[in-house]
Amino acid sequence: PSHIGDMKRVSVLTGEAAMQKMRGIHPGDIGIIDGYLANYRWEGEEMTLWVGMASTEPDAKQLLERMVSAIARGGTPFSAPARVTVDGRQVFSTSGGGGTNYFFQDSHSVVWLTLINSSMPANRLNDVLKTVKFD
């Protein structure tokens, strides 16, 4: 979307360009067949929305489980993920990479949200969940 809450989209990558960017920060085959990456800003606050789409819902679930496991093992710039429930949805929260991060699965999609300079990251997560339709 062009806006999420009061944040305006300032850039977007789709398809192969987005997948290349995601592959560039993950070792090995991450198992996505499509994706997009969107950046949003508002008054010094930044939000990056990464969405990787897997072939099937079980593939997306497996990708999410691999992410949780890899981050929990350490050796990444992120803290151990904490599981939280937001409107009945299981979401993982971690800090690192300069901000607050949330990640979760929705159908065939695995979503990673990074918030930088946000005084209200949980509200931003709620804005994403209410605004974005993941397929």
Side-chain angles (χ1 to χ4, degrees):
S2 64
H3 288 80
I4 296 178
D6 53 7
M7 299 192 82
K8 181 180 180 184
R9 188 181 69 217
V10 295
S11 67
V12 65
L13 292 176
T14 60
E16 189 58 36
M19 291 190 304
Q20 287 291 357
K21 185 92 167 170
M22 287 182 237
R23 288 182 193 124
I25 61 171
H26 293 92
D29 179 15
I30 59 174
I32 59 172
I33 59 166
D34 201 0
Y36 63 91
L37 166 62
N39 291 295
Y40 295 82
R41 289 202 180 109
W42 182 76
E43 292 188 2
E45 184 178 357
E46 296 179 37
M47 177 169 65
T48 303
L49 179 64
W50 305 74
V51 180
M53 289 162 246
S55 297
T56 66
E57 195 166 327
D59 288 348
K61 182 178 181 194
Q62 183 180 43
L63 175 56
L64 179 70
E65 290 169 355
R66 287 190 345 236
M67 290 169 64
V68 171
S69 177
I71 295 168
R73 277 194 306 269
T76 73
F78 303 104
S79 64
R83 186 185 317 246
V84 295
T85 302
V86 180
D87 291 333
R89 178 193 307 263
Q90 178 179 278
V91 175
F92 293 91
S93 173
T94 182
S95 61
T100 301
N101 306 276
Y102 296 102
F103 60 107
F104 57 91
Q105 175 195 351
D106 188 312
S107 185
H108 294 191
S109 297
V110 175
V111 180
W112 181 284
L113 177 66
T114 299
L115 297 154
I116 298 174
N117 297 326
S118 179
S119 62
M120 52 189 164
N123 291 352
R124 294 301 186 194
L125 172 62
N126 282 323
D127 289 344
V128 168
L129 295 174
K130 290 176 185 172
T131 305
V132 182
K133 301 293 183 210
F134 304 102
D135 294 327

